[in-house]
Structures are given as structure tokens and as C-alpha cells.
PDB file of all heavy atoms in Angstrom:
ATOM      1  N   ARG Y  30     -65.160-225.356  63.532  1.00 95.00           N
ATOM      2  CA  ARG Y  30     -64.633-224.006  63.691  1.00 95.00           C
ATOM      3  C   ARG Y  30     -63.811-223.906  64.971  1.00 95.00           C
ATOM      4  O   ARG Y  30     -64.255-224.326  66.046  1.00 95.00           O
ATOM      5  CB  ARG Y  30     -65.786-223.012  63.721  1.00 95.00           C
ATOM      6  CG  ARG Y  30     -65.364-221.552  63.801  1.00 95.00           C
ATOM      7  CD  ARG Y  30     -66.580-220.653  63.793  1.00 95.00           C
ATOM      8  NE  ARG Y  30     -67.466-220.949  64.909  1.00 95.00           N
ATOM      9  CZ  ARG Y  30     -68.736-220.555  64.994  1.00 95.00           C
ATOM     10  NH1 ARG Y  30     -69.270-219.859  64.005  1.00 95.00           N
ATOM     11  NH2 ARG Y  30     -69.466-220.872  66.048  1.00 95.00           N
ATOM     12  N   GLU Y  31     -62.628-223.341  64.866  1.00 96.00           N
ATOM     13  CA  GLU Y  31     -61.685-223.259  65.970  1.00 96.00           C
ATOM     14  C   GLU Y  31     -61.387-221.803  66.293  1.00 96.00           C
ATOM     15  O   GLU Y  31     -61.058-221.020  65.407  1.00 96.00           O
ATOM     16  CB  GLU Y  31     -60.388-223.985  65.610  1.00 96.00           C
ATOM     17  CG  GLU Y  31     -59.308-223.915  66.669  1.00 96.00           C
ATOM     18  CD  GLU Y  31     -57.999-224.502  66.202  1.00 96.00           C
ATOM     19  OE1 GLU Y  31     -57.808-224.650  64.979  1.00 96.00           O
ATOM     20  OE2 GLU Y  31     -57.158-224.829  67.064  1.00 96.00           O
ATOM     21  N   PRO Y  32     -61.485-221.415  67.556  1.00 97.00           N
ATOM     22  CA  PRO Y  32     -61.098-220.048  67.925  1.00 97.00           C
ATOM     23  C   PRO Y  32     -59.596-219.858  67.802  1.00 97.00           C
ATOM     24  O   PRO Y  32     -58.817-220.787  68.042  1.00 97.00           O
ATOM     25  CB  PRO Y  32     -61.561-219.931  69.377  1.00 97.00           C
ATOM     26  CG  PRO Y  32     -61.575-221.337  69.885  1.00 97.00           C
ATOM     27  CD  PRO Y  32     -61.978-222.184  68.715  1.00 97.00           C
ATOM     28  N   VAL Y  33     -59.193-218.650  67.452  1.00 98.00           N
ATOM     29  CA  VAL Y  33     -57.783-218.333  67.269  1.00 98.00           C
ATOM     30  C   VAL Y  33     -57.345-217.213  68.198  1.00 98.00           C
ATOM     31  O   VAL Y  33     -56.428-217.373  69.008  1.00 98.00           O
ATOM     32  CB  VAL Y  33     -57.484-217.948  65.809  1.00 98.00           C
ATOM     33  CG1 VAL Y  33     -56.022-217.541  65.656  1.00 98.00           C
ATOM     34  CG2 VAL Y  33     -57.823-219.098  64.874  1.00 98.00           C
ATOM     35  N   SER Y  34     -58.010-216.062  68.087  1.00 98.00           N
ATOM     36  CA  SER Y  34     -57.606-214.889  68.853  1.00 98.00           C
ATOM     37  C   SER Y  34     -58.739-213.880  68.855  1.00 98.00           C
ATOM     38  O   SER Y  34     -59.614-213.910  67.989  1.00 98.00           O
ATOM     39  CB  SER Y  34     -56.339-214.264  68.245  1.00 98.00           C
ATOM     40  OG  SER Y  34     -55.912-213.134  68.983  1.00 98.00           O
ATOM     41  N   CYS Y  35     -58.709-212.974  69.819  1.00 97.00           N
ATOM     42  CA  CYS Y  35     -59.681-211.889  69.834  1.00 97.00           C
ATOM     43  C   CYS Y  35     -59.073-210.668  70.484  1.00 97.00           C
ATOM     44  O   CYS Y  35     -58.082-210.755  71.213  1.00 97.00           O
ATOM     45  CB  CYS Y  35     -60.984-212.295  70.541  1.00 97.00           C
ATOM     46  SG  CYS Y  35     -60.836-212.703  72.294  1.00 97.00           S
ATOM     47  N   ILE Y  36     -59.676-209.522  70.205  1.00 95.00           N
ATOM     48  CA  ILE Y  36     -59.252-208.269  70.806  1.00 95.00           C
ATOM     49  C   ILE Y  36     -60.500-207.481  71.175  1.00 95.00           C
ATOM     50  O   ILE Y  36     -61.452-207.408  70.400  1.00 95.00           O
ATOM     51  CB  ILE Y  36     -58.318-207.476  69.863  1.00 95.00           C
ATOM     52  CG1 ILE Y  36     -57.761-206.244  70.576  1.00 95.00           C
ATOM     53  CG2 ILE Y  36     -59.023-207.107  68.565  1.00 95.00           C
ATOM     54  CD1 ILE Y  36     -56.593-205.596  69.825  1.00 95.00           C
ATOM     55  N   SER Y  37     -60.497-206.903  72.359  1.00 93.00           N
ATOM     56  CA  SER Y  37     -61.664-206.191  72.852  1.00 93.00           C
ATOM     57  C   SER Y  37     -61.701-204.767  72.323  1.00 93.00           C
ATOM     58  O   SER Y  37     -60.758-204.272  71.710  1.00 93.00           O
ATOM     59  CB  SER Y  37     -61.670-206.177  74.381  1.00 93.00           C
ATOM     60  OG  SER Y  37     -60.735-205.238  74.884  1.00 93.00           O
ATOM     61  N   SER Y  38     -62.806-204.096  72.586  1.00 89.00           N
ATOM     62  CA  SER Y  38     -62.936-202.699  72.204  1.00 89.00           C
ATOM     63  C   SER Y  38     -61.902-201.823  72.893  1.00 89.00           C
ATOM     64  O   SER Y  38     -61.567-200.744  72.392  1.00 89.00           O
ATOM     65  CB  SER Y  38     -64.345-202.201  72.530  1.00 89.00           C
ATOM     66  OG  SER Y  38     -64.638-202.354  73.905  1.00 89.00           O
ATOM     67  N   LYS Y  39     -61.397-202.271  74.052  1.00 88.00           N
ATOM     68  CA  LYS Y  39     -60.392-201.533  74.803  1.00 88.00           C
ATOM     69  C   LYS Y  39     -58.968-201.975  74.501  1.00 88.00           C
ATOM     70  O   LYS Y  39     -58.024-201.414  75.048  1.00 88.00           O
ATOM     71  CB  LYS Y  39     -60.663-201.668  76.303  1.00 88.00           C
ATOM     72  CG  LYS Y  39     -62.074-201.277  76.718  1.00 88.00           C
ATOM     73  CD  LYS Y  39     -62.393-199.848  76.342  1.00 88.00           C
ATOM     74  CE  LYS Y  39     -63.795-199.467  76.777  1.00 88.00           C
ATOM     75  NZ  LYS Y  39     -64.151-198.084  76.358  1.00 88.00           N
ATOM     76  N   GLY Y  40     -58.812-202.994  73.668  1.00 89.00           N
ATOM     77  CA  GLY Y  40     -57.489-203.440  73.273  1.00 89.00           C
ATOM     78  C   GLY Y  40     -56.980-204.698  73.940  1.00 89.00           C
ATOM     79  O   GLY Y  40     -55.887-205.168  73.608  1.00 89.00           O
ATOM     80  N   GLY Y  41     -57.722-205.242  74.888  1.00 92.00           N
ATOM     81  CA  GLY Y  41     -57.308-206.473  75.528  1.00 92.00           C
ATOM     82  C   GLY Y  41     -57.377-207.647  74.564  1.00 92.00           C
ATOM     83  O   GLY Y  41     -58.364-207.801  73.845  1.00 92.00           O
ATOM     84  N   ALA Y  42     -56.343-208.469  74.554  1.00 95.00           N
ATOM     85  CA  ALA Y  42     -56.245-209.551  73.580  1.00 95.00           C
ATOM     86  C   ALA Y  42     -56.148-210.907  74.260  1.00 95.00           C
ATOM     87  O   ALA Y  42     -55.676-211.028  75.389  1.00 95.00           O
ATOM     88  CB  ALA Y  42     -55.034-209.345  72.677  1.00 95.00           C
ATOM     89  N   TYR Y  43     -56.573-211.929  73.537  1.00 97.00           N
ATOM     90  CA  TYR Y  43     -56.503-213.298  74.007  1.00 97.00           C
ATOM     91  C   TYR Y  43     -56.118-214.193  72.837  1.00 97.00           C
ATOM     92  O   TYR Y  43     -56.548-213.980  71.708  1.00 97.00           O
ATOM     93  CB  TYR Y  43     -57.842-213.755  74.589  1.00 97.00           C
ATOM     94  CG  TYR Y  43     -57.847-215.197  75.020  1.00 97.00           C
ATOM     95  CD1 TYR Y  43     -57.328-215.563  76.258  1.00 97.00           C
ATOM     96  CD2 TYR Y  43     -58.344-216.195  74.188  1.00 97.00           C
ATOM     97  CE1 TYR Y  43     -57.313-216.890  76.655  1.00 97.00           C
ATOM     98  CE2 TYR Y  43     -58.332-217.522  74.578  1.00 97.00           C
ATOM     99  CZ  TYR Y  43     -57.813-217.865  75.818  1.00 97.00           C
ATOM    100  OH  TYR Y  43     -57.795-219.173  76.204  1.00 97.00           O
ATOM    101  N   TYR Y  44     -55.307-215.228  73.144  1.00 97.00           N
ATOM    102  CA  TYR Y  44     -54.861-216.172  72.123  1.00 97.00           C
ATOM    103  C   TYR Y  44     -55.061-217.599  72.590  1.00 97.00           C
ATOM    104  O   TYR Y  44     -54.830-217.919  73.760  1.00 97.00           O
ATOM    105  CB  TYR Y  44     -53.374-215.979  71.813  1.00 97.00           C
ATOM    106  CG  TYR Y  44     -53.010-214.592  71.362  1.00 97.00           C
ATOM    107  CD1 TYR Y  44     -52.647-213.611  72.282  1.00 97.00           C
ATOM    108  CD2 TYR Y  44     -53.020-214.260  70.011  1.00 97.00           C
ATOM    109  CE1 TYR Y  44     -52.311-212.333  71.871  1.00 97.00           C
ATOM    110  CE2 TYR Y  44     -52.687-212.984  69.590  1.00 97.00           C
ATOM    111  CZ  TYR Y  44     -52.332-212.026  70.522  1.00 97.00           C
ATOM    112  OH  TYR Y  44     -51.995-210.759  70.103  1.00 97.00           O
ATOM    113  N   GLU Y  45     -55.471-218.438  71.668  1.00 97.00           N
ATOM    114  CA  GLU Y  45     -55.500-219.857  71.959  1.00 97.00           C
ATOM    115  C   GLU Y  45     -54.071-220.379  72.087  1.00 97.00           C
ATOM    116  O   GLU Y  45     -53.133-219.833  71.508  1.00 97.00           O
ATOM    117  CB  GLU Y  45     -56.231-220.615  70.858  1.00 97.00           C
ATOM    118  CG  GLU Y  45     -57.735-220.404  70.873  1.00 97.00           C
ATOM    119  CD  GLU Y  45     -58.381-221.001  72.105  1.00 97.00           C
ATOM    120  OE1 GLU Y  45     -58.178-222.215  72.369  1.00 97.00           O
ATOM    121  OE2 GLU Y  45     -59.105-220.267  72.812  1.00 97.00           O
ATOM    122  N   ASP Y  46     -53.905-221.448  72.858  1.00 97.00           N
ATOM    123  CA  ASP Y  46     -52.570-221.980  73.121  1.00 97.00           C
ATOM    124  C   ASP Y  46     -51.827-222.361  71.839  1.00 97.00           C
ATOM    125  O   ASP Y  46     -50.605-222.219  71.755  1.00 97.00           O
ATOM    126  CB  ASP Y  46     -52.658-223.198  74.033  1.00 97.00           C
ATOM    127  CG  ASP Y  46     -53.034-222.833  75.455  1.00 97.00           C
ATOM    128  OD1 ASP Y  46     -52.885-221.661  75.834  1.00 97.00           O
ATOM    129  OD2 ASP Y  46     -53.463-223.737  76.188  1.00 97.00           O
ATOM    130  N   SER Y  47     -52.545-222.818  70.842  1.00 96.00           N
ATOM    131  CA  SER Y  47     -51.914-223.289  69.625  1.00 96.00           C
ATOM    132  C   SER Y  47     -51.219-222.189  68.836  1.00 96.00           C
ATOM    133  O   SER Y  47     -50.367-222.479  67.994  1.00 96.00           O
ATOM    134  CB  SER Y  47     -52.945-223.983  68.730  1.00 96.00           C
ATOM    135  OG  SER Y  47     -53.986-223.091  68.370  1.00 96.00           O
ATOM    136  N   VAL Y  48     -51.569-220.921  69.101  1.00 98.00           N
ATOM    137  CA  VAL Y  48     -50.984-219.818  68.339  1.00 98.00           C
ATOM    138  C   VAL Y  48     -50.227-218.823  69.205  1.00 98.00           C
ATOM    139  O   VAL Y  48     -49.642-217.867  68.670  1.00 98.00           O
ATOM    140  CB  VAL Y  48     -52.059-219.075  67.521  1.00 98.00           C
ATOM    141  CG1 VAL Y  48     -52.808-220.039  66.615  1.00 98.00           C
ATOM    142  CG2 VAL Y  48     -53.018-218.329  68.439  1.00 98.00           C
ATOM    143  N   LYS Y  49     -50.196-219.028  70.493  1.00 97.00           N
ATOM    144  CA  LYS Y  49     -49.483-218.112  71.381  1.00 97.00           C
ATOM    145  C   LYS Y  49     -48.004-218.037  71.013  1.00 97.00           C
ATOM    146  O   LYS Y  49     -47.356-219.046  70.773  1.00 97.00           O
ATOM    147  CB  LYS Y  49     -49.622-218.562  72.835  1.00 97.00           C
ATOM    148  CG  LYS Y  49     -50.974-218.280  73.451  1.00 97.00           C
ATOM    149  CD  LYS Y  49     -51.013-218.711  74.911  1.00 97.00           C
ATOM    150  CE  LYS Y  49     -52.351-218.404  75.545  1.00 97.00           C
ATOM    151  NZ  LYS Y  49     -52.417-218.867  76.956  1.00 97.00           N
ATOM    152  N   GLY Y  50     -47.488-216.822  70.978  1.00 97.00           N
ATOM    153  CA  GLY Y  50     -46.097-216.609  70.629  1.00 97.00           C
ATOM    154  C   GLY Y  50     -45.836-216.533  69.148  1.00 97.00           C
ATOM    155  O   GLY Y  50     -44.732-216.155  68.734  1.00 97.00           O
ATOM    156  N   ARG Y  51     -46.829-216.890  68.332  1.00 98.00           N
ATOM    157  CA  ARG Y  51     -46.662-216.865  66.881  1.00 98.00           C
ATOM    158  C   ARG Y  51     -47.592-215.857  66.202  1.00 98.00           C
ATOM    159  O   ARG Y  51     -47.208-215.246  65.210  1.00 98.00           O
ATOM    160  CB  ARG Y  51     -46.914-218.249  66.294  1.00 98.00           C
ATOM    161  CG  ARG Y  51     -45.966-219.321  66.825  1.00 98.00           C
ATOM    162  CD  ARG Y  51     -46.118-220.623  66.053  1.00 98.00           C
ATOM    163  NE  ARG Y  51     -47.459-221.181  66.183  1.00 98.00           N
ATOM    164  CZ  ARG Y  51     -48.293-221.382  65.158  1.00 98.00           C
ATOM    165  NH1 ARG Y  51     -47.917-221.070  63.923  1.00 98.00           N
ATOM    166  NH2 ARG Y  51     -49.489-221.902  65.354  1.00 98.00           N
ATOM    167  N   PHE Y  52     -48.788-215.708  66.729  1.00 98.00           N
ATOM    168  CA  PHE Y  52     -49.773-214.796  66.150  1.00 98.00           C
ATOM    169  C   PHE Y  52     -49.925-213.561  67.029  1.00 98.00           C
ATOM    170  O   PHE Y  52     -49.813-213.636  68.262  1.00 98.00           O
ATOM    171  CB  PHE Y  52     -51.135-215.475  66.036  1.00 98.00           C
ATOM    172  CG  PHE Y  52     -51.220-216.571  65.006  1.00 98.00           C
ATOM    173  CD1 PHE Y  52     -50.087-217.074  64.389  1.00 98.00           C
ATOM    174  CD2 PHE Y  52     -52.460-217.089  64.659  1.00 98.00           C
ATOM    175  CE1 PHE Y  52     -50.168-218.087  63.446  1.00 98.00           C
ATOM    176  CE2 PHE Y  52     -52.557-218.096  63.716  1.00 98.00           C
ATOM    177  CZ  PHE Y  52     -51.410-218.600  63.116  1.00 98.00           C
ATOM    178  N   THR Y  53     -50.210-212.434  66.399  1.00 98.00           N
ATOM    179  CA  THR Y  53     -50.460-211.195  67.117  1.00 98.00           C
ATOM    180  C   THR Y  53     -51.680-210.505  66.534  1.00 98.00           C
ATOM    181  O   THR Y  53     -51.747-210.272  65.323  1.00 98.00           O
ATOM    182  CB  THR Y  53     -49.263-210.237  67.043  1.00 98.00           C
ATOM    183  OG1 THR Y  53     -48.094-210.877  67.571  1.00 98.00           O
ATOM    184  CG2 THR Y  53     -49.538-208.972  67.857  1.00 98.00           C
ATOM    185  N   ILE Y  54     -52.632-210.179  67.384  1.00 97.00           N
ATOM    186  CA  ILE Y  54     -53.816-209.467  66.944  1.00 97.00           C
ATOM    187  C   ILE Y  54     -53.677-207.995  67.313  1.00 97.00           C
ATOM    188  O   ILE Y  54     -53.128-207.652  68.367  1.00 97.00           O
ATOM    189  CB  ILE Y  54     -55.095-210.078  67.561  1.00 97.00           C
ATOM    190  CG1 ILE Y  54     -56.352-209.514  66.899  1.00 97.00           C
ATOM    191  CG2 ILE Y  54     -55.136-209.866  69.071  1.00 97.00           C
ATOM    192  CD1 ILE Y  54     -57.623-210.260  67.278  1.00 97.00           C
ATOM    193  N   SER Y  55     -54.151-207.124  66.449  1.00 95.00           N
ATOM    194  CA  SER Y  55     -54.073-205.694  66.687  1.00 95.00           C
ATOM    195  C   SER Y  55     -55.198-205.006  65.941  1.00 95.00           C
ATOM    196  O   SER Y  55     -55.944-205.637  65.192  1.00 95.00           O
ATOM    197  CB  SER Y  55     -52.710-205.142  66.248  1.00 95.00           C
ATOM    198  OG  SER Y  55     -52.515-205.318  64.853  1.00 95.00           O
ATOM    199  N   LYS Y  56     -55.315-203.713  66.146  1.00 89.00           N
ATOM    200  CA  LYS Y  56     -56.332-202.949  65.446  1.00 89.00           C
ATOM    201  C   LYS Y  56     -55.853-201.540  65.176  1.00 89.00           C
ATOM    202  O   LYS Y  56     -54.978-201.020  65.866  1.00 89.00           O
ATOM    203  CB  LYS Y  56     -57.638-202.919  66.240  1.00 89.00           C
ATOM    204  CG  LYS Y  56     -57.527-202.294  67.619  1.00 89.00           C
ATOM    205  CD  LYS Y  56     -58.865-202.316  68.337  1.00 89.00           C
ATOM    206  CE  LYS Y  56     -58.762-201.678  69.713  1.00 89.00           C
ATOM    207  NZ  LYS Y  56     -60.083-201.695  70.413  1.00 89.00           N
ATOM    208  N   ASP Y  57     -56.432-200.956  64.159  1.00 85.00           N
ATOM    209  CA  ASP Y  57     -56.159-199.582  63.775  1.00 85.00           C
ATOM    210  C   ASP Y  57     -57.487-198.838  63.887  1.00 85.00           C
ATOM    211  O   ASP Y  57     -58.335-198.948  63.006  1.00 85.00           O
ATOM    212  CB  ASP Y  57     -55.610-199.521  62.353  1.00 85.00           C
ATOM    213  CG  ASP Y  57     -55.224-198.121  61.925  1.00 85.00           C
ATOM    214  OD1 ASP Y  57     -55.706-197.146  62.518  1.00 85.00           O
ATOM    215  OD2 ASP Y  57     -54.429-198.001  60.969  1.00 85.00           O
ATOM    216  N   ASN Y  58     -57.662-198.079  64.944  1.00 68.00           N
ATOM    217  CA  ASN Y  58     -58.935-197.399  65.171  1.00 68.00           C
ATOM    218  C   ASN Y  58     -59.238-196.335  64.119  1.00 68.00           C
ATOM    219  O   ASN Y  58     -60.396-196.141  63.747  1.00 68.00           O
ATOM    220  CB  ASN Y  58     -58.955-196.764  66.559  1.00 68.00           C
ATOM    221  CG  ASN Y  58     -59.031-197.785  67.672  1.00 68.00           C
ATOM    222  OD1 ASN Y  58     -59.610-198.855  67.511  1.00 68.00           O
ATOM    223  ND2 ASN Y  58     -58.452-197.458  68.812  1.00 68.00           N
ATOM    224  N   ASP Y  59     -58.204-195.657  63.650  1.00 72.00           N
ATOM    225  CA  ASP Y  59     -58.418-194.617  62.641  1.00 72.00           C
ATOM    226  C   ASP Y  59     -58.946-195.201  61.338  1.00 72.00           C
ATOM    227  O   ASP Y  59     -59.783-194.589  60.665  1.00 72.00           O
ATOM    228  CB  ASP Y  59     -57.122-193.858  62.379  1.00 72.00           C
ATOM    229  CG  ASP Y  59     -56.698-193.002  63.555  1.00 72.00           C
ATOM    230  OD1 ASP Y  59     -57.555-192.643  64.376  1.00 72.00           O
ATOM    231  OD2 ASP Y  59     -55.495-192.677  63.639  1.00 72.00           O
ATOM    232  N   LYS Y  60     -58.469-196.386  60.989  1.00 68.00           N
ATOM    233  CA  LYS Y  60     -58.861-197.024  59.737  1.00 68.00           C
ATOM    234  C   LYS Y  60     -59.959-198.064  59.931  1.00 68.00           C
ATOM    235  O   LYS Y  60     -60.389-198.683  58.949  1.00 68.00           O
ATOM    236  CB  LYS Y  60     -57.651-197.659  59.076  1.00 68.00           C
ATOM    237  CG  LYS Y  60     -56.576-196.663  58.679  1.00 68.00           C
ATOM    238  CD  LYS Y  60     -55.412-197.354  57.993  1.00 68.00           C
ATOM    239  CE  LYS Y  60     -54.359-196.347  57.559  1.00 68.00           C
ATOM    240  NZ  LYS Y  60     -53.215-197.001  56.878  1.00 68.00           N
ATOM    241  N   THR Y  61     -60.361-198.251  61.169  1.00 82.00           N
ATOM    242  CA  THR Y  61     -61.398-199.229  61.528  1.00 82.00           C
ATOM    243  C   THR Y  61     -61.075-200.609  60.965  1.00 82.00           C
ATOM    244  O   THR Y  61     -61.945-201.285  60.403  1.00 82.00           O
ATOM    245  CB  THR Y  61     -62.790-198.763  61.066  1.00 82.00           C
ATOM    246  OG1 THR Y  61     -62.840-198.680  59.635  1.00 82.00           O
ATOM    247  CG2 THR Y  61     -63.118-197.407  61.667  1.00 82.00           C
ATOM    248  N   THR Y  62     -59.836-201.012  61.145  1.00 91.00           N
ATOM    249  CA  THR Y  62     -59.362-202.287  60.645  1.00 91.00           C
ATOM    250  C   THR Y  62     -58.618-203.039  61.732  1.00 91.00           C
ATOM    251  O   THR Y  62     -57.835-202.440  62.480  1.00 91.00           O
ATOM    252  CB  THR Y  62     -58.432-202.085  59.439  1.00 91.00           C
ATOM    253  OG1 THR Y  62     -59.129-201.356  58.420  1.00 91.00           O
ATOM    254  CG2 THR Y  62     -57.978-203.411  58.871  1.00 91.00           C
ATOM    255  N   ALA Y  63     -58.858-204.323  61.819  1.00 93.00           N
ATOM    256  CA  ALA Y  63     -58.124-205.193  62.720  1.00 93.00           C
ATOM    257  C   ALA Y  63     -57.211-206.098  61.911  1.00 93.00           C
ATOM    258  O   ALA Y  63     -57.455-206.354  60.730  1.00 93.00           O
ATOM    259  CB  ALA Y  63     -59.076-206.018  63.573  1.00 93.00           C
ATOM    260  N   TYR Y  64     -56.153-206.603  62.559  1.00 96.00           N
ATOM    261  CA  TYR Y  64     -55.163-207.419  61.882  1.00 96.00           C
ATOM    262  C   TYR Y  64     -54.842-208.664  62.694  1.00 96.00           C
ATOM    263  O   TYR Y  64     -54.956-208.679  63.926  1.00 96.00           O
ATOM    264  CB  TYR Y  64     -53.865-206.632  61.663  1.00 96.00           C
ATOM    265  CG  TYR Y  64     -54.054-205.338  60.917  1.00 96.00           C
ATOM    266  CD1 TYR Y  64     -54.203-204.137  61.601  1.00 96.00           C
ATOM    267  CD2 TYR Y  64     -54.094-205.322  59.529  1.00 96.00           C
ATOM    268  CE1 TYR Y  64     -54.379-202.950  60.924  1.00 96.00           C
ATOM    269  CE2 TYR Y  64     -54.269-204.132  58.839  1.00 96.00           C
ATOM    270  CZ  TYR Y  64     -54.412-202.953  59.538  1.00 96.00           C
ATOM    271  OH  TYR Y  64     -54.591-201.778  58.853  1.00 96.00           O
ATOM    272  N   LEU Y  65     -54.433-209.683  61.988  1.00 98.00           N
ATOM    273  CA  LEU Y  65     -53.879-210.873  62.607  1.00 98.00           C
ATOM    274  C   LEU Y  65     -52.547-211.166  61.928  1.00 98.00           C
ATOM    275  O   LEU Y  65     -52.517-211.626  60.785  1.00 98.00           O
ATOM    276  CB  LEU Y  65     -54.819-212.067  62.476  1.00 98.00           C
ATOM    277  CG  LEU Y  65     -54.357-213.334  63.191  1.00 98.00           C
ATOM    278  CD1 LEU Y  65     -54.382-213.128  64.708  1.00 98.00           C
ATOM    279  CD2 LEU Y  65     -55.216-214.532  62.805  1.00 98.00           C
ATOM    280  N   GLN Y  66     -51.460-210.853  62.621  1.00 98.00           N
ATOM    281  CA  GLN Y  66     -50.125-211.144  62.119  1.00 98.00           C
ATOM    282  C   GLN Y  66     -49.772-212.570  62.488  1.00 98.00           C
ATOM    283  O   GLN Y  66     -49.753-212.922  63.667  1.00 98.00           O
ATOM    284  CB  GLN Y  66     -49.105-210.175  62.709  1.00 98.00           C
ATOM    285  CG  GLN Y  66     -47.669-210.436  62.273  1.00 98.00           C
ATOM    286  CD  GLN Y  66     -47.447-210.159  60.807  1.00 98.00           C
ATOM    287  OE1 GLN Y  66     -47.886-209.139  60.291  1.00 98.00           O
ATOM    288  NE2 GLN Y  66     -46.772-211.079  60.126  1.00 98.00           N
ATOM    289  N   MET Y  67     -49.482-213.382  61.495  1.00 98.00           N
ATOM    290  CA  MET Y  67     -49.201-214.790  61.697  1.00 98.00           C
ATOM    291  C   MET Y  67     -47.761-215.077  61.294  1.00 98.00           C
ATOM    292  O   MET Y  67     -47.401-214.948  60.122  1.00 98.00           O
ATOM    293  CB  MET Y  67     -50.172-215.659  60.896  1.00 98.00           C
ATOM    294  CG  MET Y  67     -51.638-215.354  61.173  1.00 98.00           C
ATOM    295  SD  MET Y  67     -52.764-216.486  60.320  1.00 98.00           S
ATOM    296  CE  MET Y  67     -52.389-216.079  58.614  1.00 98.00           C
ATOM    297  N   ASN Y  68     -46.955-215.463  62.266  1.00 98.00           N
ATOM    298  CA  ASN Y  68     -45.558-215.794  62.037  1.00 98.00           C
ATOM    299  C   ASN Y  68     -45.309-217.260  62.348  1.00 98.00           C
ATOM    300  O   ASN Y  68     -46.104-217.916  63.014  1.00 98.00           O
ATOM    301  CB  ASN Y  68     -44.649-214.917  62.910  1.00 98.00           C
ATOM    302  CG  ASN Y  68     -44.770-213.442  62.610  1.00 98.00           C
ATOM    303  OD1 ASN Y  68     -44.980-213.037  61.467  1.00 98.00           O
ATOM    304  ND2 ASN Y  68     -44.611-212.616  63.638  1.00 98.00           N
TER     305      ASN Y  68
END
């Protein structure tokens, strides 16, 4: 298992080097859904 990305309850995000600049993590608090956009 390999870590990819995470986002905190306050919105702070972290990315592993292998996906930096290509992946974006986000969340929608109203819909209680998080996303990982992979480009």
C-alpha cells in the first residue's frame, strides 16, 4: 500500500512526490465528499 495524498479537516493538503503537480485533493463540506483529481 502506497500513500498518495491527504487533506485535513481544516483543508491542509499533502502529496507524495510521485503525484505532485498532477493530482489534486479537495473536499465538498456541504456534500460530505472528498475528491482526488488525477491528471
Side-chain angles (χ1 to χ4, degrees):
R30 183 179 59 196
E31 178 187 18
V33 177
S34 181
C35 63
I36 186 167
S37 76
S38 58
K39 306 301 181 183
Y43 177 82
Y44 303 90
E45 287 293 306
D46 289 341
S47 60
V48 304
K49 285 182 179 178
R51 300 189 298 119
F52 290 11
T53 302
I54 191 169
S55 62
K56 60 180 181 180
D57 184 339
N58 290 329
D59 291 337
K60 297 181 178 180
T61 64
T62 303
Y64 304 95
L65 184 67
Q66 178 68 46
M67 306 185 296
N68 298 326

